[in-house]
């Protein structure tokens, strides 16, 4: 699924009564008796409290339990299965789905000693989806989408989205954006749900819609806000767009210091355009060797103009500095990100 970048293209506590000294022994006996009666009337035994709790847990229907846990990861499923026997039995299909999900990823990416096999991957994902896992639904939907079976993929995205899976909501929103013709109202609806759940890719896509005025009134401050949330969550494309927002005064007050900070972050996370622009910025400040490193990285990423500027700068550096700059580029690794 292709994405665009910059738009221009209880338990309560139990208390016992306090003991007060009473001179009249007869009244003392009477009061203590009445108190003990009151306690027996209103305070259930600990054993009955425990049985009530377990009865409440066990009474949850399996279909409701499965819907609640549909987007749980394996560690969360294992923890929930320890609550009571009823939950352990009710969550068995979802635990099985996690095994199919794991094998699906192995077949898709050729991991764990198996050869890549997209058909086996899809079969495993579909078996996981049939057992109620939204994680498997999303992965199966993506494989079907990439195979050209978009309607089947969208149906799985929708099922996952309706069960509250943020990735499913985001993918469903994007599928509406890419439909012919696009359904902007539905796209924005699901992207907003994913964004509220903290899904950074959905936040980025929602920001693009707000920026372009797609399916809604253009709102640049709101767009910049969602770009920033996605960037703070580690989404590299959003980092680059936040830098442009600060540089151009789009949605934010113009602030070149913030712009430079976010451009460098995007560059350090592997965004090739950010590497090119950050390299140019370093060159303008006279930091030649650092400029060469970022320009070389941008050129390796496909920014052809960066190679020309890099070669011009290299001619101004002594051979040891040239070798040092290129060595730094060879050993450079991007910071981890949400992509």
């Amino acid at each position: 699924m292709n994405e665009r970048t910059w738009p221009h293209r209880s338990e309560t506590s139990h208390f016992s009564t306090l003991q007060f000294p009473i001179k009249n022994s007869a009244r003392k006996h009477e009061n203590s008796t009445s108190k003990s009666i009151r306690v027996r009337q209103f305070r259930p035994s600990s054993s009955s409290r425990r049985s009530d709790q377990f009865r409440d847990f066990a009474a949850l229907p399996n279909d409701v339990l499965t819907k609640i846990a549909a987007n749980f990861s394996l560690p969360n499923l294992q923890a929930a299965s320890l609550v009571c026997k009823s939950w352990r039995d009710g969550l068995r299909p979802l635990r099985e789905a996690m095994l199919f999900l794991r094998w699906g990823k192995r077949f898709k990416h050729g991991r764990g000693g198996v050869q890549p096999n997209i058909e086996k991957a899809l079969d495993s994902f579909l078996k996981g989806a049939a057992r109620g896992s939204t994680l498997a639904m999303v992965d199966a939907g993506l494989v079907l989408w990439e195979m050209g079976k978009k309607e089947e993929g969208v149906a799985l995205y929708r099922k996952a989205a309706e069960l509250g899976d943020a990735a499913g909501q985001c993918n469903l929103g994007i599928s509406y954006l890419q439909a012919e013709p696009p359904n902007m109202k539905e796209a924005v609806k699901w992207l907003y749900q994913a964004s509220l759940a903290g899904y950074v890719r959905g936040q980025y896509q929602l920001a693009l819609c707000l920026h372009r005025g797609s399916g809604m009134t253009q709102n640049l401050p709101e767009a910049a806000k969602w770009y920033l949330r996605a960037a703070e969550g580690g989404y590299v494309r959003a980092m680059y767009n936040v830098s442009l927002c600060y540089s151009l005064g789009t949605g934010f007050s113009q602030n070149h210091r913030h712009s430079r900070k976010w451009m460098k972050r995007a560059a350090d996370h592997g965004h090739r355009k950010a590497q090119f622009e950050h390299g140019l910025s370093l060159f303008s400040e006279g930091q030649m060797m650092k400029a060469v490193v970022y320009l070389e990285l941008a050129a390796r990423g496909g920014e052809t103009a960066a190679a020309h500027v890099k070669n011009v700068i290299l001619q101004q550096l002594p051979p040891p500095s040239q070798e040092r700059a290129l060595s730094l580029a060879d050993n450079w690794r991007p910071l981890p990100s949400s992509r």
Side-chain angles (χ1 to χ4, degrees), residues 5-34:
T5 180
W6 195 250
H8 75 284
R9 348 177 230 261
S10 95
E11 279 188 36
T12 56
S13 300
H14 302 296
F15 297 94
S16 58
T17 55
L18 297 176
Q19 298 298 319
F20 294 97
I22 301 176
K23 293 181 179 180
N24 190 319
S25 60
R27 286 182 59 84
K28 178 178 179 180
H29 175 75
E30 177 185 344
N31 287 347
S32 63
T33 303
S34 62

Side-chain angles (χ1 to χ4, degrees), residues 10-14 39-40 42-55:
S10 95
E11 279 188 36
T12 56
S13 300
H14 302 296
V39 170
R40 284 195 295 270
F42 295 104
R43 187 175 178 181
S45 68
S46 59
S47 61
S48 71
R49 286 197 303 274
R50 284 195 299 270
S51 63
D52 287 345
Q53 290 171 352
F54 286 122
R55 185 168 64 249

Side-chain angles (χ1 to χ4, degrees), residues 241-262:
N241 283 15
V242 167
S243 176
L244 295 183
C245 285
Y246 277 120
S247 178
L248 302 172
T250 303
F252 294 135
S253 299
Q254 200 169 44
N255 188 314
H256 293 296
R257 183 173 64 85
H258 286 343
S259 175
R260 178 183 170 85
K261 177 186 75 173
W262 282 106

Side-chain angles (χ1 to χ4, degrees), residues 9 15 23 40 62 66 69 146 170 201 230 260 267 274 292 299 321 331 337:
R9 348 177 230 261
F15 297 94
K23 293 181 179 180
R40 284 195 295 270
N62 283 352
T66 302
E146 293 172 342
C170 178
R201 185 170 172 232
R260 178 183 170 85
V292 167
S321 296
N331 293 299
S337 65

Side-chain angles (χ1 to χ4, degrees), residues 53-316:
Q53 290 171 352
F54 286 122
R55 185 168 64 249
D56 290 342
F57 283 134
L60 192 64
N62 283 352
D63 59 334
V64 175
L65 179 62
T66 302
K67 288 181 180 180
I68 292 171
N71 57 3
F72 279 16
S73 63
L74 180 58
N76 289 336
L77 278 173
Q78 291 172 331
S81 298
L82 297 175
V83 171
C84 64
K85 183 180 184 299
S86 177
W87 281 32
R88 184 169 65 252
D89 295 342
L91 293 173
R92 182 178 292 112
L94 286 175
R95 294 196 303 274
E96 293 174 354
M98 291 297 101
L99 296 176
F100 286 113
L101 181 66
R102 181 185 301 174
W103 276 104
K105 291 182 181 295
R106 288 178 176 177
F107 282 123
K108 183 177 181 180
H109 303 290
R111 298 172 182 166
V114 301
Q115 294 296 317
N117 188 317
I118 199 64
E119 295 293 339
K120 288 185 177 181
L122 178 57
D123 181 64
S124 295
F125 289 144
L126 288 174
K127 287 177 178 177
R131 285 161 172 77
S133 170
T134 63
L135 308 181
M137 293 175 198
V138 172
D139 278 347
L142 181 57
V143 172
L144 288 166
W145 180 280
E146 293 172 342
M147 295 172 66
K149 301 177 181 180
K150 295 187 176 182
E151 291 185 4
E152 295 178 49
V154 170
L156 284 168
Y157 287 156
R158 175 174 291 279
K159 188 173 182 180
E162 290 173 346
L163 287 168
D165 188 279
Q169 292 166 348
C170 178
N171 286 10
L172 182 59
I174 293 174
S175 68
Y176 279 122
L177 289 176
Q178 298 181 0
E180 292 293 341
N183 187 332
M184 303 309 301
K185 183 178 179 180
E186 282 294 299
V188 169
K189 166 189 168 182
W190 289 109
L191 290 173
Y192 186 67
Q193 292 296 319
S195 298
L196 290 178
Y199 195 68
V200 293
R201 185 170 172 232
Q203 292 170 345
Y204 172 77
Q205 291 293 328
L206 178 63
L208 287 176
C209 291
L210 287 160
H211 199 157
R212 292 194 296 257
S214 303
M216 59 180 71
T217 303
Q218 186 184 50
N219 189 326
L220 297 181
E222 195 72 7
K225 180 191 81 173
W226 285 110
Y227 281 141
L228 183 58
R229 287 195 184 182
E232 290 173 339
Y235 203 74
V236 182
R237 295 179 183 181
M239 296 178 192
Y240 179 73
N241 283 15
V242 167
S243 176
L244 295 183
C245 285
Y246 277 120
S247 178
L248 302 172
T250 303
F252 294 135
S253 299
Q254 200 169 44
N255 188 314
H256 293 296
R257 183 173 64 85
H258 286 343
S259 175
R260 178 183 170 85
K261 177 186 75 173
W262 282 106
M263 189 65 75
K264 184 179 185 306
R265 285 189 184 181
D268 289 341
H269 284 80
H271 194 288
R272 68 171 190 261
K273 290 184 178 180
Q275 290 168 340
F276 183 25
E277 295 186 32
H278 186 58
L280 292 176
S281 176
L282 290 166
F283 175 50
S284 68
E285 296 170 358
Q287 300 186 56
M288 302 297 191
M289 193 164 76
K290 287 184 178 180
V292 167
V293 174
Y294 282 98
L295 292 169
E296 173 67 14
L297 294 172
R300 294 179 183 182
E303 291 293 317
T304 55
H308 174 71
V309 180
K310 177 207 69 178
N311 291 332
V312 171
I313 301 173
L314 277 175
Q315 294 174 6
Q316 304 175 36

